[in-house]
Amino acid sequence: MAQSPGTPRLLRRLNDRSALELLLSDGPLTRAELGELTGLSKVTAGQLLARLEERGLVEVTGERAGGRGPNAALYGVVPSSAYVAGLDILPESITVGVADITGKIVVEVTVDPLDGKDPVKAVLNAVQRACNSARIAQSQLRSFVIGTRGVVDPRTGEVRFSMDLPGWHVGVLASLRRTLGASVIIENDVNLVALAEHRYGAGIGQDDFVVIWAGVGQGLGVMLGGRLHRGITGGAGEIGWLPVPGEPLPTDVSRPTSGSFQRLVGNEALGGLAAAHGIPGRTVPEQIRTAVARDATAYLEDVATRLAVGVAAVAVVLDPGLVVLSGDVGKAGGPLLAAMVEQAVARVCPSRPSVQATRVAGNPVLRGALVAALEQAREQVFSDTV
């Protein structure tokens, strides 16, 4: 049987990608080390490195002393071979992070979203500001992932609905792609938080877990089998609508604040609870931090009991094993509040999941956006080496 003419090219591409991923995760590496890790001969590994060096994807970063012979050259991925952008869109601000292909964040800027009526113009302004700060050309950005509070249709990638961002609607994605390129992706913000937890936080090594976002709004990010679960219409995780005992069912589903679980654990409810317990603070996160500092367990246990209603409902349906408490409330409460939620859930739920506080440093939406953008960019760059 004649050999397919595409086979050697395909093998080279696969070997190149494997080598680049190893250099990112374990590098810098010598030619011999790379050959050992990939199973390639020294000659083949040398040819591979020469090919990638010629393409501007790898470079010599130093040398390693060996035995009696000369020092061996160390190779690493060229950080500037590609850049990506992640964005966190809020009604009052747009935060842009730019990372190089190794994942190092080179700049993070927060800008005013202008009047909020033209999301495309606002995004372009923010991206340009970030590129100027990073001293790179916009053309060097290989992918863009935008996090929004809206419901994103996984079939089209369009924002189907956003209460806080009315300017983000069907048609915005197409406009962004015409301006920035086809690599623009819009994703629900809590889904991006789940990606960040999976890569950097409490979800490391866990393929099945959920993130409960407790803050201005209530959200749920679901990771099953190492993949995000978005639902057919992108509505998976809209936990604010969860019916709960003692709270009225919504009469107008166009008003997110009317959701039963939102009524139970939203800022108004937790703020009133803090006042009843005599906990000071201008915002709910401040009140929770004060309660933690004062060891005001009565208030924190009441908050935990309310959050446990949502956690238990998710646990009996998905049985995720791990629940990560994130958002302003989860971050403010930290491990103490997470432990109280776990205990409260155990009293009403037979599956008894582990509840842990978020471990992602910085802006988790932005970190998740950069995780997704890097995956997309590396797929492009690493799959086109020969």
Side-chain angles (χ1 to χ4, degrees):
M1 181 181 296
Q3 186 183 38
S4 169
T7 299
R9 183 182 179 88
L10 175 61
L11 288 175
R12 285 197 299 272
R13 181 179 292 119
L14 293 173
N15 288 337
D16 289 354
R17 178 164 190 149
S18 177
L20 286 164
E21 289 175 346
L22 282 169
L23 288 171
L24 283 174
S25 61
D26 301 338
L29 299 169
T30 66
R31 182 184 63 174
E33 290 168 341
L34 189 62
E36 183 178 347
L37 290 170
T38 57
L40 301 173
S41 68
K42 288 184 180 181
V43 172
T44 303
Q47 293 171 341
L48 179 154
L49 286 169
R51 182 166 62 248
L52 295 179
E53 192 171 14
E54 184 179 354
R55 293 294 301 272
L57 296 177
V58 303
E59 63 185 356
V60 176
T61 61
E63 56 184 28
R64 177 168 294 153
R68 298 177 180 177
N71 293 343
L74 284 168
Y75 292 87
V77 174
V78 177
S80 60
S81 57
Y83 293 91
V84 303
L87 293 87
D88 179 20
I89 309 294
L90 295 174
E92 67 278 3
S93 65
I94 296 178
T95 301
V96 184
V98 173
D100 64 34
I101 196 68
T102 70
K104 179 183 177 182
I105 299 176
V106 296
V107 72
E108 183 177 323
V109 299
T110 299
V111 302
D112 190 298
L114 306 176
D115 58 9
K117 296 180 181 179
D118 187 343
V120 176
K121 183 179 179 180
V123 166
L124 291 177
N125 174 62
V127 168
Q128 191 57 59
R129 287 275 296 276
C131 288
N132 292 343
S133 297
R135 296 183 179 179
I136 64 171
Q138 188 175 301
S139 60
Q140 292 177 270
L141 295 173
R142 296 295 292 263
S143 64
F144 305 79
V145 173
I146 300 171
T148 171
R149 291 178 180 172
V151 176
V152 180
D153 190 330
R155 296 165 296 188
T156 65
E158 294 273 12
V159 177
R160 191 164 57 85
F161 172 80
S162 179
M163 180 67 179
D164 295 329
L165 300 163
W168 287 77
H169 49 69
V170 173
V172 170
L173 177 61
S175 296
L176 286 170
R177 285 179 171 172
R178 282 195 297 269
T179 307
L180 294 174
S183 62
V184 178
I185 292 174
I186 303 176
E187 181 61 271
N188 173 264
D189 56 354
V190 185
N191 284 342
L192 294 177
V193 174
L195 289 180
E197 292 289 351
H198 193 230
R199 178 67 60 86
Y200 303 112
I204 292 176
Q206 303 289 326
D207 285 340
D208 295 271
F209 69 93
V210 300
V211 171
I212 297 282
W213 179 272
V216 174
Q218 316 310 313
L220 177 74
V222 181
M223 186 75 72
L224 297 177
R227 298 172 62 88
L228 284 173
H229 177 73
R230 299 176 176 86
I232 295 298
T233 66
E238 295 298 312
I239 197 174
W241 296 105
L242 181 73
V244 297
E247 293 294 332
L249 293 175
T251 57
D252 183 359
V253 294
S254 67
R255 295 175 53 242
T257 55
S258 67
S260 299
F261 189 59
Q262 176 67 34
R263 289 175 181 267
L264 184 67
V265 298
N267 280 344
E268 184 177 348
L270 297 189
L273 192 62
H277 282 272
I279 306 297
R282 294 176 298 174
T283 66
V284 170
E286 285 182 11
Q287 293 163 341
I288 290 178
R289 284 192 291 268
T290 298
V292 171
R294 295 182 178 182
D295 197 24
T297 55
Y299 168 64
L300 292 173
E301 285 176 352
D302 281 353
V303 173
T305 299
R306 294 184 178 212
L307 290 171
V309 173
V311 175
V314 172
V316 296
V317 174
L318 297 179
D319 191 20
L322 172 64
V323 175
V324 182
L325 200 58
S326 187
D328 292 337
V329 169
K331 189 173 183 178
L336 177 59
L337 181 60
M340 289 182 172
V341 172
E342 182 174 320
Q343 293 167 5
V345 172
R347 293 193 291 267
V348 298
C349 179
S351 60
R352 305 187 64 167
S354 170
V355 181
Q356 297 183 26
T358 177
R359 297 180 190 169
V360 176
N363 182 329
V365 177
L366 191 66
R367 297 294 298 277
L370 288 171
V371 168
L374 282 166
E375 289 179 355
Q376 184 186 19
R378 288 171 182 172
E379 180 68 29
Q380 296 172 13
V381 175
F382 294 177
S383 298
D384 186 27
T385 59
V386 294

